[in-house]
Amino acid sequence: MSKPQSQPQPQSQETAVYTHGHHESVLRSHTWRTAANSAAYLLGSLKPHMTILDIGCGPGTITADLAALVPDGHVTGVDQAPGILDQARATAAERGLDNVEFAQADIHALDFPDDTFSVVHAHQVLQHVGDPVRALREMHRVTKPGGYVAVRDSDYLAMAWYPASEGMDDWLDLYRRVARANGGEPDAGRRLKSWALRAGLTDIHATSSTWTFADADEIAWWSGLWADRTLASAYADRATEGGLATPERLRAVSDAWREWGRREDAWFTVPHGEILCRKAP
C-alpha cells in the first residue's frame, strides 16, 4: 500500500524532548516489547484486513507483530527520530513481512488525510510529547469512522519494587524531574482517560496492565539496563546538562540499581494505563 496523499497540516507545536534517546541500554528494553506484552488490550479488536498506524514505532518489534496479525491489511510505522527507522525496517525484513512500511512523522501534525487508518496505536509515546491532547486529536483525525485509537503509557509514580532502596527512590525522583524538564509527563498512565476526554474522544474504554519482573534473569536484565541507562543514555546527558544531577549522583543511582538487582528477593512492577477509543461510525 502506498502512502496516502498528504493534506496540509498545522505546523507542529512539539515542545518536548525524548528523554531516553536510543542508546543500546534503551533499545535493550524497546526490542523486548511485543504486541503480546505491550498491546494485549488492543489485539481482540484487530481484523486481518485492517490498516494500522503505529506511532513512535522505535525499533519496530510491536509494529512487526501488528503486521503479522493483519496479513490482508497494512501497517505504517512512524517515529520522529529518523535514525531508528532503519532498525525497524530490518526487524520487518527479518520476519519476511511485506505489508509494513516506515516513515518519519510528528504525532502533533500527522501527514495523512482524515479517516485513513482502521487503528491508530501509540505505545509509551504520550508521556514524551509536548501536547498529548493535541496528539490524541491528531490520532483521532486520521482514524476511520468505526476504527480505534489505542494508547498505552506507563506511570512512573505508580511503579513499585521490593526490597526498599534509598538509591532507587532517588532514581524515581530524579527521572520524574528530568522527564518534566524535557516537557513530558512521566505519570502519563493515569492521565490517558482525562486527556482523551479533553481531546473530544468518545466511547473510551480505559484499562490497565503491568509488566512484572521477578525471576533472577528478569531482575538482572531490568536492573542492568537501568544501571547502564542512568550513566550512558541521553537521559544521563539531559540530567547533567540540565543541572538536575551531577555525574557522581548518577553513579550512585546506577550502583543502587545494581545492588538491588543482586537481591534474591528483588521484585519490580511497571503499571500502565490503556485507552481504546472507538471513533463514531
Side-chain angles (χ1 to χ4, degrees):
M1 174 179 146
S2 60
K3 180 180 176 180
Q5 194 72 22
S6 65
Q7 294 181 343
Q9 299 301 327
Q11 187 174 0
S12 169
Q13 295 180 351
E14 173 65 272
T15 57
V17 175
Y18 181 47
T19 296
H20 298 287
H22 293 98
H23 183 265
E24 182 277 331
S25 59
V26 177
L27 295 180
R28 208 180 306 165
S29 61
H30 288 189
T31 55
W32 166 83
R33 298 172 185 173
T34 66
N37 68 29
S38 299
Y41 72 103
L42 167 64
L43 302 188
S45 300
L46 297 183
K47 306 298 182 187
H49 64 278
M50 282 182 161
T51 55
I52 300 175
L53 177 64
D54 186 25
I55 300 174
C57 65
T61 51
I62 297 175
T63 320
D65 282 352
L66 294 174
L69 291 168
V70 292
D72 302 322
H74 188 271
V75 178
T76 302
V78 298
D79 202 286
Q80 191 169 27
I84 196 61
L85 294 176
D86 285 342
Q87 184 168 342
R89 293 184 183 101
T91 298
E94 287 169 4
R95 295 182 55 175
L97 297 166
D98 59 6
N99 64 332
V100 59
E101 64 181 343
F102 296 93
Q104 187 178 6
D106 176 4
I107 192 173
H108 293 89
L110 294 168
D111 192 20
F112 300 99
D114 296 356
D115 306 338
T116 298
F117 299 96
S118 309
V119 175
V120 180
H121 168 262
H123 182 263
Q124 308 283 47
V125 174
L126 293 192
Q127 64 185 278
H128 298 295
V129 306
D131 190 342
V133 174
R134 177 176 175 177
L136 282 164
R137 290 193 187 111
E138 273 293 272
M139 294 176 71
H140 185 263
R141 180 185 66 79
V142 301
T143 302
K144 293 178 180 180
Y148 297 92
V149 174
V151 178
R152 184 176 191 254
D153 266 276
S154 58
D155 193 303
Y156 275 78
L157 187 59
M159 292 183 187
W161 58 86
Y162 186 86
S165 163
E166 289 185 6
M168 289 173 61
D169 289 343
D170 192 31
W171 159 75
L172 181 59
D173 173 71
L174 177 61
Y175 179 85
R176 293 174 73 238
R177 289 191 295 113
V178 171
R180 290 199 168 117
N182 288 338
E185 174 47 70
D187 307 333
R190 68 188 66 191
R191 291 171 164 81
L192 295 182
K193 179 183 175 182
S194 175
W195 288 340
L197 289 168
R198 287 167 55 193
L201 276 63
T202 57
D203 197 0
I204 303 166
H205 184 55
T207 55
S208 64
S209 61
T210 62
W211 294 333
T212 299
F213 307 104
D215 70 30
D217 289 342
E218 291 172 343
I219 291 295
W221 176 78
W222 184 246
S223 62
L225 70 85
W226 269 108
D228 292 343
R229 190 182 300 190
T230 299
L231 295 179
S233 71
Y235 159 69
D237 295 335
R238 286 159 187 156
T240 53
E241 292 169 4
L244 296 173
T246 63
E248 291 75 20
R249 183 180 181 187
L250 292 179
R251 171 59 67 182
V253 168
S254 177
D255 289 346
W257 269 106
R258 294 196 186 281
E259 180 179 355
W260 173 84
R262 289 191 288 268
R263 290 288 301 259
E264 183 180 9
D265 55 351
W267 176 93
F268 198 106
T269 191
V270 180
H272 297 80
E274 303 156 342
I275 53 170
L276 187 64
C277 310
R278 188 166 186 259
K279 187 171 181 176

